[in-house]
Amino acid sequence: MFNKLPSWVVKSLVILLFTLGLFRYYSNSEPYATGDGIEYILTTEAWCNHGTPNINPADFSSFKADFIAHQSWESNYKAAAFDEVERFLKESQAKVKAPVRKEFGGFYRNKNANVYGYHFVFYSLLNVPARCMTDLFNVHPIHAFKYTNLACWTLLLILILFLRKQLVFDDVLLFLAAFLSAAFYYNTWTHPELTTVVLLMASFIFLNQERFHLAILTCALATLQNQPLVFVLLWMYVYVWNKQRYAIKPLFLYGLYGFIIFIPSLYFYSLFGTTSLIKDAGFLASENISLTRITGFYVDLNQGMIISIGLFLLLYMVLLVQRLVVIIKTRKADIWDLIPLVLMSMTLLVSAMNNWNHGMAIVNRYAIWIGVPLLFHVFHLMRDFSIRVRVPLVVSALISQGFLLCVHLPYNQFDWSNLQHMPIAKWVLDHHPSWYNPDPQIFIARTNRVFDFTKNSSPVLYFNNKNRLVKLAVHSENLDTLSTFGYKMNTLRSYPNVRSGSETWIYINDIEERSTKSSVELLQIIENSEVQRIISEMRANPQWIKELTLKAARNHMDIEEQLRLDARYIFNENHPR
């Protein structure tokens, strides 16, 4: 039947079914301000209300009014954070003289007392049409971001299916690889990751089809929210210049698009007298860059690119070695051979972030869009392979992505996946703890759910699924505490020594074999401190503390006693004896 239909009808049906299926799959997703979502939400509200990104109390009020029309404010997991932002917005308008904060939670007040977010406003502007639709059709306002993200996928599929009369099968496979990557987890996020992925995908598709104006334009737009992509844009200029036989005049015309990358800097300079609020806030530091972070960005079992693109990453490593051999033999290279350098440049830059275990949906947010040029390079390196070789390789890699999705989807709740070890990492830690020695931030935050990476959090103990202590991380300035656990160290060089910023941690992987104390005795030692840590978690969660207050009233006991009882119960549940 489909053979008798015009190709455009079949393509249109594919697009329609894809869009409806995606919409249906995410229709019941709970609205939540993921990551820096509060900032993006309120900036979108400001654009929608008065056509500027200046956020005022009225913008907060309009969002909150729409929110509570669909959901109680108390059920908002970030209600406390939203309320504190509202207080911050109103401080400059208070009649009573009081200190006015210049910054809170990613919001900054300039000399004119106007408030702006510390991320550029492009993504929030893109979200305005969807926000207007949610208002028109009486839909929860946070769902607007989901609709924007889903529209991006649909537009990309339209581009792939209709850009050429002859369908390019590689583009379809690349679409599947990107869709089945960890970008899938970000479909409901109030964040620009997915938009960046789609813009980059479109850019490389245009580049392969030698539509250079569109390629450079879409890549330049992608840099607006993620500045490290400037390295990809520079690579594209070299690629296009090479294709134009190094002629100056065409490059001058393409160069005009390059001015787009300066828009964020000009925007922030005009408002705050600086080119980057994030840089000035101290969120980046060169001392954070380490070999552990760089390699872990790709292969970390908790949040690395490997659990996003699966066998594509392993295939890429093999193809790079093969390509290197060819270059050495022929002494010839092309512009595509610079892609690994581009990837490494971006990796170095993002590795400078202070918070390496940030809020995420399974995989490091930066790995989502850095994976796009990598995928295109994989297909470029396989361009001369026969169909018999290419098809099994690509299909196997796609199947591996599907498998990874099935494994990790149950753990994808909002932006909380950074608070627990992912299944594959947990299996390795349980059975072969010496195989996995990640950046200390990852191990500490996911094991103890604390974000203090100084010696105050040392030591950090990992108990496996049989409740046996199999791994311990200790701060380099706190090694004396190991004697408490009945452990006597060998020479320091015999242990994995991992740095995270200015903090150095030591991993002890033979604690079970060499400690004079049993796991039960070690549990007794840490019980009180663990109970206090759980109580701190309870206090930090407004919804949790509210439920415990009601529970204490029902049980006719003091809230402090209820906290201790529940915390001790959780500890015993996590560590059955």
Side-chain angles (χ1 to χ4, degrees):
M1 182 181 73
F2 287 105
N3 292 334
K4 298 179 181 179
L5 293 174
S7 62
W8 69 268
V9 174
V10 176
K11 292 176 182 179
S12 299
L13 283 172
V14 169
I15 292 167
L16 179 63
L17 291 173
F18 171 82
T19 304
L20 291 177
L22 204 57
F23 182 84
R24 178 70 184 87
Y25 183 84
Y26 287 104
S27 60
N28 295 322
S29 60
E30 185 176 354
Y32 178 81
T34 48
D36 299 303
I38 297 177
E39 177 199 342
Y40 288 113
I41 286 168
L42 294 181
T43 304
T44 296
E45 203 72 14
W47 276 122
C48 203
N49 289 342
H50 44 82
T52 73
N54 173 25
I55 305 164
N56 56 53
D59 299 320
F60 186 95
S61 299
S62 67
F63 166 75
K64 186 174 181 179
D66 278 0
F67 186 102
I68 61 179
H70 301 89
Q71 180 182 349
S72 69
W73 192 247
E74 291 73 19
S75 65
N76 177 5
Y77 291 106
K78 289 191 174 179
F82 270 106
D83 291 340
E84 189 59 34
V85 170
E86 182 181 26
R87 284 189 284 273
F88 173 75
L89 293 172
K90 290 180 176 179
E91 283 176 354
S92 62
Q93 300 179 359
K95 294 180 180 179
V96 179
K97 289 186 177 181
V100 177
R101 289 173 289 178
K102 293 295 183 181
E103 178 273 332
F104 173 76
F107 294 89
Y108 284 76
R109 199 186 313 274
N110 67 5
K111 293 179 180 178
N112 298 323
N114 295 326
V115 175
Y116 301 87
Y118 68 166
H119 290 99
F120 189 56
V121 297
F122 176 63
Y123 176 63
S124 296
L125 181 61
L126 281 182
N127 195 56
V128 168
R131 177 66 184 96
C132 292
M133 287 180 61
T134 59
D135 195 31
L136 180 65
F137 294 105
N138 193 29
V139 176
H140 198 297
I142 293 182
H143 282 322
F145 290 86
K146 175 176 66 179
Y147 300 148
T148 298
N149 293 338
L150 300 189
C152 285
W153 282 123
T154 300
L155 290 172
L156 179 62
L157 188 57
I158 291 171
L159 173 69
I160 290 170
L161 295 182
F162 285 99
L163 186 62
R164 284 186 175 185
K165 290 182 180 179
Q166 188 70 30
L167 184 64
V168 181
F169 194 57
D170 274 4
D171 290 347
V172 175
L173 292 174
L174 279 160
F175 176 86
L176 288 173
F179 183 74
L180 293 175
S181 74
F184 188 87
Y185 307 122
Y186 285 86
N187 280 324
T188 57
W189 267 53
T190 54
H191 249 252
E193 279 74 24
L194 201 138
T195 301
T196 302
V197 166
V198 169
L199 284 171
L200 272 180
M201 290 285 295
S203 179
F204 275 93
I205 289 170
F206 287 134
L207 190 76
N208 285 339
Q209 298 183 7
E210 298 195 355
R211 302 190 180 202
F212 297 138
H213 285 283
L214 290 172
I216 293 174
L217 174 61
T218 47
C219 186
L221 291 175
T223 69
L224 290 176
Q225 294 298 155
N226 293 287
Q227 283 72 39
L229 288 170
V230 167
F231 291 109
V232 177
L233 183 63
L234 290 174
W235 175 85
M236 282 196 175
Y237 273 119
V238 174
Y239 180 91
V240 172
W241 197 25
N242 175 261
K243 286 287 185 179
Q244 299 290 337
R245 300 181 182 277
Y246 301 103
I248 300 297
K249 186 176 179 180
L251 188 66
F252 176 78
L253 294 174
Y254 296 127
L256 296 176
Y257 300 117
F259 287 103
I260 290 174
I261 68 175
F262 298 107
I263 293 176
S265 297
L266 294 172
Y267 167 81
F268 286 113
Y269 190 81
S270 68
L271 294 173
F272 295 95
T274 181
T275 56
S276 173
L277 290 174
I278 291 177
K279 173 178 66 66
D280 291 354
F283 291 115
L284 295 169
S286 58
E287 68 177 359
N288 292 326
I289 301 172
S290 67
L291 183 61
T292 301
R293 280 199 177 184
I294 294 168
T295 55
F297 183 78
Y298 293 94
V299 299
D300 187 273
L301 300 177
N302 266 314
Q303 61 180 55
M305 193 184 291
I306 186 71
I307 57 175
S308 171
I309 61 175
L311 289 179
F312 277 115
L313 182 59
L314 301 180
L315 176 61
Y316 185 56
M317 294 175 182
V318 174
L319 291 171
L320 284 182
V321 172
Q322 182 192 51
R323 178 60 185 163
L324 181 60
V325 171
V326 172
I327 292 172
I328 292 172
K329 284 183 177 180
T330 63
R331 296 185 180 181
K332 291 182 180 180
D334 62 30
I335 305 301
W336 276 96
D337 295 319
L338 294 174
I339 285 290
L341 182 62
V342 171
L343 296 174
M344 189 53 59
S345 299
M346 292 190 290
T347 304
L348 284 169
L349 193 55
V350 300
S351 294
M353 295 294 295
N354 286 343
N355 185 5
W356 194 238
N357 190 63
H358 48 257
M360 63 186 74
I362 310 298
V363 173
N364 187 311
R365 298 201 299 253
Y366 312 117
I368 305 305
W369 40 267
I370 289 180
V372 172
L374 188 152
L375 285 172
F376 274 87
H377 197 201
V378 168
F379 277 75
H380 177 79
L381 291 170
M382 291 195 299
R383 67 191 184 282
D384 295 328
F385 287 14
S386 66
I387 295 295
R388 289 183 178 181
V389 176
R390 290 180 71 204
V391 170
L393 287 175
V394 173
V395 170
S396 297
L398 289 172
I399 290 172
S400 75
Q401 286 184 289
F403 170 77
L404 290 167
L405 277 175
C406 292
V407 168
H408 292 97
L409 265 177
Y411 298 85
N412 181 35
Q413 186 175 20
F414 306 135
D415 53 5
W416 299 347
S417 64
N418 65 329
L419 298 175
Q420 60 183 320
H421 292 288
M422 292 296 103
I424 298 173
K426 184 169 176 54
W427 184 89
V428 172
L429 285 170
D430 284 351
H431 298 90
H432 305 282
S434 62
W435 293 3
Y436 182 54
N437 302 299
D439 184 288
Q441 289 192 19
I442 297 172
F443 183 75
I444 295 166
R446 292 170 185 261
T447 302
N448 273 8
R449 296 192 177 186
V450 296
F451 287 83
D452 179 2
F453 307 115
T454 66
K455 64 179 182 180
N456 297 330
S457 297
S458 175
V460 178
L461 286 70
Y462 180 86
F463 291 83
N464 68 7
N465 54 358
K466 295 180 180 178
N467 212 25
R468 287 157 42 195
L469 179 61
V470 294
K471 193 181 188 75
L472 183 149
V474 61
H475 195 277
S476 61
E477 298 178 13
N478 208 9
L479 296 175
D480 57 322
T481 58
L482 290 174
S483 59
T484 307
F485 299 94
Y487 185 87
K488 185 178 180 180
M489 288 190 70
N490 290 323
T491 58
L492 196 58
R493 290 182 180 179
S494 62
Y495 298 94
N497 186 313
V498 185
R499 178 177 60 84
S500 184
S502 60
E503 311 293 338
T504 301
W505 288 74
I506 314 296
Y507 283 114
I508 309 295
N509 294 311
D510 59 356
I511 183 75
E512 186 179 26
E513 293 84 1
R514 298 191 57 225
S515 174
T516 58
K517 299 181 185 296
S518 68
S519 290
V520 173
E521 291 175 301
L522 293 171
L523 273 174
Q524 291 171 346
I525 292 172
I526 69 164
E527 182 171 359
N528 288 334
S529 61
E530 278 292 284
V531 167
Q532 288 303 313
R533 182 186 64 78
I534 295 169
I535 289 174
S536 297
E537 273 192 58
M538 292 170 170
R539 294 187 192 281
N541 188 319
Q543 186 68 21
W544 198 354
I545 201 72
K546 181 181 178 181
E547 291 172 1
L548 286 170
T549 302
L550 295 173
K551 187 176 182 180
R554 288 195 301 269
N555 294 335
H556 305 290
M557 66 172 60
D558 180 74
I559 180 61
E560 295 299 323
E561 185 180 356
Q562 187 68 61
L563 286 171
R564 286 192 296 272
L565 281 174
D566 276 49
R568 203 164 293 279
Y569 175 81
I570 292 171
F571 176 82
N572 290 328
E573 280 286 297
N574 292 337
H575 302 285
R577 306 180 199 187

